[in-house]
Amino acid sequence: MRWNSCLNTRTILSAVLGLAAAISAPATDFLSSYKGIPYHDSRYHGGVLGGAQAIPGRVQCAYYDLGGEGIAYHDTTEKNEGSGGLNPADGSYLNEFCMHEAVDISYTKFHDAIDNNPYNKVVPEENQLYVGWTQPGEWFNLTVAVQQAGVYTIDLLYTSNRGGKISLDRNGQPLVSAVDIISTKTDQDPVAWRQWHHWNIVTNMAEVALPKGVCVLTLHVLTEGNMNFAWLDFKPRNK
Ligand SMILES: [Ca+2]
Ligand SMILES: [Ca+2]
């Protein structure tokens, strides 16, 4: 769902009505029964309001919630393919980030033109943590704290070597229906493994109406997988 090219009265009205519905909706028991907690560690002490990542702001996918398989995430492989795998355990923060969790984590590297390759559509920051090795059916939760009720646009920093679809839930209810993630594969790159490292941003992936307060967002991988997710930028619309 890309609304950036079709902002009209109907979409604005729809967003306003959605916000009103979200604010007036009865509190679900999702949060009261949710066992996950906002991510934190010895180096990252969380965002605001009890550690939740703040909106407006940049929500880091690698800082998905703590709580484990079936609570904070679902991953199809028990091992962390990145931390402690591709990135050997060496005592460093980045190589061992969540290495005992099933969600597969890595980070951008600027040596040997890995993530600073000439086929990027955007150049990510170096040492940017991301969720990788994604497969259809996988998901992870991000507890966020919305500072101000309103309509927000979402940008996504990602790679995708075959396209795919993702969606977002809020407190267990659909928030953003299936979004097409455009492939960043290019036949111009002769290095096969680097097809997983062509970075891009989906600008204005969706517009969402969010009430103020803490909620849990769930990012679902619907089709194809093989996408890397770095962050979701939530910006107040028209700012
Ligand atoms: Ca895994
Ligand atoms: Ca995975």
Side-chain angles (χ1 to χ4, degrees), residues 75 77-81 102-104:
D75 199 88
T77 63
E78 191 172 341
K79 170 186 176 186
N80 190 324
E81 307 289 347
V103 176
D104 308 291

Side-chain angles (χ1 to χ4, degrees), residues 225-236:
N226 289 271
M227 292 173 267
N228 294 326
F229 305 117
W231 45 248
L232 296 155
D233 251 351
F234 287 78
K235 302 173 186 171

Side-chain angles (χ1 to χ4, degrees), residues 98-116:
C98 288
M99 65 182 288
H100 299 299
E101 295 257 285
V103 176
D104 308 291
I105 305 288
S106 192
Y107 58 95
T108 55
K109 304 175 181 75
F110 277 15
H111 60 82
D112 301 318
I114 295 176
D115 292 291
N116 56 339

